[in-house]
Amino acid sequence: SGISTLIAKGVYDAAFLFMIASFPVCFQVLHEEWARYSAFYKYQPIDLVRKYFGEKIGLYFAWLGVYTQLLIPASIVGIIVFGYGVATVDTNIPSQEMCDESLNFTMCPLCDGACDFWHLSTACGTARASHLFDNPATVFFAIFMSLWAVLFLEHWKRRQISLSFSWDLTGIEDDEVYSLFTSAAIEKLTWKDRLPGYCINVSSILFMFGLTFSAVLGVIIYRITVSALMAMSPDPETKSNVRVTVTATAVIINLVVILILDEIYGAVALWLTELEIPKTETNFEERLILKAFLLKFVNAYAPIFYVAFFKGRFAGRPGNYVYVFNDYRMEECAPGGCLIELCIQLSIIMLGKQLIQNNIFEIGIPKLKKLVRAIKDKGSTEAEIEDERPPKQWNLDYALAPFEGLTPEYMEMIIQFGFVSLFVASFPLAPLFALLNNVIEIRLDAKKFVTELRRPVAVRAKDIGIWYNILSGMGKFSVIINAFVISFTSDFIPRLVYQYMFSQTGTMHGFIDHTLSYFNVSNLKAGTAPLNSDHGDITVCRYKDYREPPWSSDAYTFSKQYWCVLAARLAFVILFQNLVMFLSLVVAWVIPDIPKTIVEQLKREKKLLVDVFLREEKEKFQLIQSLFSKDASKHPGSHVIPQSQGAPLPGRYSTLGG
C-alpha cells in the first residue's frame, strides 16, 4: 500500500497504526508482557510504553507505578493498625463498660413519641466495632500517612527527573498546539469578549456546588424521615435495625448520586472550558482539569465531610432538640461515636466507586460504544471489507475507540488518593483496598491502551503537569483534615483528658459514665415523651454530652469538662499540624530531588563538555597563530604587533572572550 511504500523508502519511520512498520515487536512485547492481568506482579516496561505511546502517556504509567508501589508499605502499616484494634478490643475498658449490662445506663429516647428509653448495653456491637478504627494506633497512622504523602511526592520527583534524563527531556518545553481557533483570532479577543464566558463559568460552578450540597441535604432528610418512620413501626425487629438499615441505604444512595453527578460534572467542565476559548491545548487541559477536579472533589467528599464534622454537632439536647420541618429531629451520632459511621461512609463510597467505575464505566461502556459504532458503520464498511481479504490492519484500527485524553485516568487516581490520605484516620484499610484496585487498574489501563483504543498521537511532556500541584495541595490538606478527624470526630482526646485530668485512678475506668450527662424526664416537652413506655418508673435518663445535671444551678449548660475537652481538641490540632509539617520538611530536606547517580553523570557530562570546548578553542588559537606566523614570514616588517608591547593576539583574545 501507499503508506507501506513510504515507510519502506524511509520517508516515514512509523505510522499511527497499530501493527505496521517499525513497531510490531514493541507492540507484541507490550501486549504479552504488559497488557495482561496475569503480569500484575511484573514491573512495567516504561521505556517501551514511552517509545510506543509517547512521553506523556509514559509518564502517566510511570507515576501510577510509583503510586501503587508506595501503597505497599502504607497497606502493611494499615493492616498492623487494624490488627492492633482487633487484638485489644476485648481489653478496651470503654467498650467493656458500654457492653456491661450491670451498669444499667438508661438512655434518653432517640426520637419523639414512638421511641422508648433504652439501655446503652444494646449498642455493644457498635462500641466494639468503633474500637477497631478508633484506638491510640490511629493517631500514629494519621501521622504516618501524612509523611507517606510527602515521601510519595519526593519519590516521584526523583523518578520523574530520572526519566527526564534518560528520555532526554531536560530543557524541553511541552508540545504546544493551538486549539479551537487560530492564534491570530485568539490574540484579538479582549477581556470584554471573554467576560461572558468567565461569568457563566463562575455562576455554573457555584450552581454545581449548590446541586451537590442539595443532594447531601436530600440524603440527610431521607435518613431523618426514614429513621422516624421505622421507629414508629410496631415490629420490634424493624425498630432494632433502624440505624443499620438507614445508614446502609443512605450510603448506597450517596454512592449512586456521586457516580451520576461525576459524569454530569465531567461534561459540564468540558463545556465551561470551551467557553473560555483557551489559546493552546496545554492551557485548555489545565483549565479543564481544575474545573473537573473542583467539581468532583466536592461531589465525592461532601457526604464524608458532613458525617465527619457536622453530623450530631447541631442536634441539640433532650428537651431542646433542633428540628427539621418542625417535625423531625436532627441526626445524632451512633452511641459509639461518629467515627464508625465515617468509616462505613468512606469504605462504601471508595470501594463502590472503584468497583463500579472499573467494571462498568471502564470496561462495559467502552465495549457498548464499540458495539454501537460497529453496528452504525457496518453498512458503510462492508463494501470496503469485501475488497480486502483479509481486512487491512488500518481499517481494523480505525474501528477502535478514539483516545480522549488522560484526564479521566488521572482524575480517578487523584480522587482515590484523597480517600487514602484525607480521612485515613477513620479507615486504616483504605491503602490496602487502593493497592488491590491499582494492581488491576494498571493492567486494565494497559489493555485498554493497547487493544481497545486507537493509538494516540505521541506528545512530548517533561512532567505530569498540574496534577503534581493538585497532589501536593491534597497532601497538605490531608494534614489539616486528619488533625480535625482525630480531634473532633474520634474520642481520642476526651479519653486522654479523662485519664489525666478527671480519672480517680489514672485509668479509663468510669470513662463512659463521665461522658454521659443527666436529664430529668419531667422536662421533656409535651408530645415528645415515649407514648408506650416500658420504663414508667424512670425519672432521669442519660445522653452523650458534657452538660451540667438538672439539679445544678446552671442546669444543662456546658460543664467544665466540656471546655477542658474543647481546649485540648484545639491544642491537639495545632500540635499535630506543626509536628507533621516539621517532619514533612525534614523528609523533603533529607531526600534530594535529583538522584546521586544523575548528579554525578551530569558532572561528568559537564566536564567532558568543558574539555571539548577548551580543545576546540586551543585548536582555533593554534590555527590563527600559524596563520599569523605565515603572514609574518611572507611580509617581514608588516603590521604585526610584538607581544612584548602587551597587545594580545586575536587568537588569545578569542580564547579569553570565549
Side-chain angles (χ1 to χ4, degrees):
S1 66
I3 190 70
S4 301
T5 306
L6 291 173
I7 292 170
K9 291 182 177 180
V11 177
Y12 294 111
D13 291 330
F16 295 124
L17 305 175
F18 264 94
M19 293 283 289
I20 61 176
S22 60
F23 285 113
V25 176
C26 181
F27 175 83
Q28 187 176 357
V29 172
L30 289 176
H31 187 271
E32 294 179 359
E33 299 295 327
W34 183 54
R36 288 181 180 273
Y37 295 114
S38 58
F40 71 91
Y41 60 92
K42 296 182 179 179
Y43 283 102
Q44 299 184 85
I46 292 298
D47 289 329
L48 280 181
V49 175
R50 172 250 181 173
K51 181 180 179 182
Y52 193 74
F53 292 108
E55 284 79 5
K56 196 167 187 177
I57 293 175
L59 284 170
Y60 164 70
F61 280 103
W63 172 83
L64 183 56
V66 169
Y67 172 46
T68 304
Q69 191 177 16
L70 284 182
L71 279 172
I72 296 173
S75 302
I76 293 171
V77 177
I79 292 170
I80 293 171
V81 169
F82 180 74
Y84 172 82
V86 173
T88 58
V89 68
D90 291 327
T91 58
N92 181 50
I93 295 172
S95 60
Q96 285 179 344
E97 290 184 346
M98 283 188 70
C99 295
D100 190 351
E101 295 183 12
S102 63
L103 293 176
N104 195 28
F105 293 119
T106 302
M107 307 298 292
C108 296
L110 294 173
C111 65
D112 295 340
C115 297
D116 197 359
F117 300 100
W118 57 286
H119 292 295
L120 187 61
S121 57
T122 59
C124 177
T126 307
R128 290 172 63 85
S130 181
H131 177 73
L132 300 179
F133 305 98
D134 187 4
N135 55 67
T138 304
V139 181
F140 160 75
F141 190 58
I143 296 174
F144 171 81
M145 287 304 295
S146 299
L147 296 178
W148 173 87
V150 177
L151 185 67
F152 162 55
L153 292 173
E154 292 297 320
H155 186 57
W156 168 245
K157 273 198 289 189
R158 288 169 61 85
R159 175 69 169 148
Q160 186 171 261
I161 289 171
S162 298
L163 291 174
S164 296
F165 186 79
S166 62
W167 292 353
D168 196 24
L169 300 176
T170 53
I172 72 152
E173 294 297 326
D174 292 344
D175 289 351
E176 293 285 358
V177 181
Y178 289 101
S179 63
L180 303 178
F181 297 94
T182 62
S183 175
I186 294 174
E187 291 294 343
K188 290 178 182 178
L189 293 176
T190 63
W191 67 271
K192 291 182 180 179
D193 299 318
R194 297 179 184 272
L195 185 61
Y198 290 138
C199 290
I200 293 173
N201 262 267
V202 173
S203 58
S204 298
I205 289 172
L206 292 176
F207 173 76
M208 295 298 152
F209 286 168
L211 182 63
T212 300
F213 296 141
S214 300
V216 174
L217 180 61
V219 176
I220 294 169
I221 294 170
Y222 162 81
R223 276 202 295 251
I224 293 171
T225 53
V226 172
S227 296
L229 292 172
M230 289 183 69
M232 296 175 188
S233 171
D235 184 11
E237 189 174 346
T238 303
K239 281 186 176 183
S240 63
N241 294 324
V242 169
R243 193 175 291 276
V244 175
T245 305
V246 171
T247 300
T249 55
V251 174
I252 292 170
I253 292 170
N254 266 326
L255 174 62
V256 173
V257 170
I258 287 170
L259 293 173
I260 293 171
L261 290 181
D262 254 2
E263 297 303 306
I264 295 172
Y265 288 167
V268 169
L270 180 63
W271 174 66
L272 292 176
T273 308
E274 288 173 351
L275 287 179
E276 293 183 5
I277 317 178
K279 185 176 179 181
T280 64
E281 286 290 348
T282 303
N283 199 296
F284 177 88
E285 189 177 16
E286 287 182 353
R287 296 186 184 195
L288 173 62
I289 288 167
L290 275 178
K291 291 181 186 63
F293 172 73
L294 282 174
L295 292 172
K296 294 191 176 189
F297 179 90
V298 173
N299 182 42
Y301 302 126
I304 301 172
F305 269 96
Y306 165 72
V307 173
F309 304 121
F310 296 100
K311 186 176 181 180
R313 308 276 185 242
F314 310 104
R317 61 169 179 82
N320 189 26
Y321 284 115
V322 177
Y323 289 86
V324 180
F325 305 129
N326 297 323
D327 291 320
Y328 302 108
R329 272 167 41 179
M330 282 293 289
E331 293 185 286
E332 296 180 67
C333 288
C338 271
L339 196 73
I340 184 64
E341 294 188 42
L342 177 61
C343 173
I344 294 169
Q345 185 96 5
L346 177 66
S347 58
I348 291 178
I349 291 177
M350 177 182 175
L351 296 177
K353 273 179 68 69
Q354 290 183 168
L355 291 173
I356 293 173
Q357 284 184 334
N358 283 357
N359 293 305
I360 297 177
F361 292 174
E362 289 201 32
I363 299 175
I365 290 180
K367 288 188 180 296
L368 186 63
K369 286 182 178 178
K370 183 179 179 181
L371 179 63
V372 170
R373 192 167 55 252
I375 294 171
K376 191 183 295 183
D377 298 341
K378 187 176 180 182
S380 59
T381 56
E382 271 183 355
E384 295 176 10
I385 294 175
E386 282 295 327
D387 297 335
E388 301 172 350
R389 293 296 180 193
K392 298 294 184 183
Q393 184 62 45
W394 47 81
N395 281 328
L396 297 176
D397 293 337
Y398 183 73
L400 298 172
F403 174 67
E404 296 179 352
L406 288 170
T407 300
E409 312 298 337
Y410 272 113
M411 190 67 70
E412 181 186 345
M413 290 296 104
I414 295 294
I415 296 297
Q416 184 203 82
F417 178 78
F419 286 125
V420 169
S421 59
L422 290 180
F423 297 95
V424 75
S426 66
F427 189 39
L429 296 179
L432 174 64
F433 288 111
L435 173 64
L436 296 175
N437 174 79
N438 288 7
V439 168
I440 300 170
E441 179 73 21
I442 290 176
R443 306 303 161 179
L444 174 66
D445 285 348
K447 189 175 179 65
K448 183 169 64 176
F449 272 84
V450 171
T451 62
E452 299 288 336
L453 299 177
R454 296 175 197 165
R455 182 167 165 233
V457 176
V459 178
R460 297 198 86 191
K462 59 185 178 182
D463 51 38
I464 62 173
I466 196 172
W467 295 111
Y468 181 85
N469 298 330
I470 292 174
L471 282 168
S472 180
M474 289 184 75
K476 292 179 175 63
F477 190 47
S478 70
V479 177
I480 301 170
I481 295 300
N482 280 310
F484 276 93
V485 167
I486 293 170
S487 190
F488 286 90
T489 311
S490 92
D491 277 340
F492 176 73
I493 299 301
R495 287 196 294 262
L496 280 183
V497 171
Y498 173 76
Q499 185 172 355
Y500 293 105
M501 289 186 65
F502 298 104
S503 175
Q504 300 280 336
T505 60
T507 65
M508 292 303 297
H509 289 286
F511 172 71
I512 296 299
D513 184 53
H514 177 76
T515 59
L516 297 176
S517 298
Y518 291 89
F519 180 76
N520 190 335
V521 297
S522 63
N523 294 331
L524 286 170
K525 291 182 179 179
T528 62
L531 298 176
N532 300 305
S533 177
D534 296 329
H535 305 80
D537 57 340
I538 289 177
T539 57
V540 174
C541 63
R542 310 292 294 272
Y543 62 100
K544 191 171 182 179
D545 207 344
Y546 292 101
R547 291 182 182 270
E548 295 291 346
W551 53 83
S552 169
S553 58
D554 298 318
Y556 306 129
T557 59
F558 288 119
S559 63
K560 181 183 73 172
Q561 289 92 331
Y562 171 83
W563 299 110
C564 289
V565 170
L566 180 62
R569 290 184 196 271
L570 295 174
F572 177 82
V573 169
I574 296 169
L575 177 65
F576 183 91
Q577 289 184 35
N578 284 282
L579 174 64
V580 173
M581 290 295 185
F582 171 74
L583 293 176
S584 300
L585 290 173
V586 171
V587 170
W589 176 71
V590 168
I591 303 175
D593 291 347
I594 305 176
K596 188 177 179 181
T597 53
I598 293 181
V599 171
E600 292 174 354
Q601 198 164 346
L602 286 172
K603 284 181 180 178
R604 284 197 301 271
E605 288 184 2
K606 189 174 181 181
K607 184 176 180 299
L608 289 172
L609 190 63
V610 170
D611 290 343
V612 170
F613 176 75
L614 290 175
R615 194 182 308 117
E616 288 180 353
E617 290 297 314
K618 185 178 180 181
E619 290 173 358
K620 287 179 186 177
F621 171 69
Q622 290 173 348
L623 178 63
I624 294 172
Q625 195 172 31
S626 64
L627 290 173
F628 270 89
S629 300
K630 289 178 182 178
D631 188 56
S633 62
K634 288 180 181 179
H635 307 283
S638 61
H639 306 292
V640 178
I641 301 173
Q643 283 185 299
S644 59
Q645 293 182 10
L649 289 172
R652 184 181 301 170
Y653 177 77
S654 173
T655 304
L656 293 171

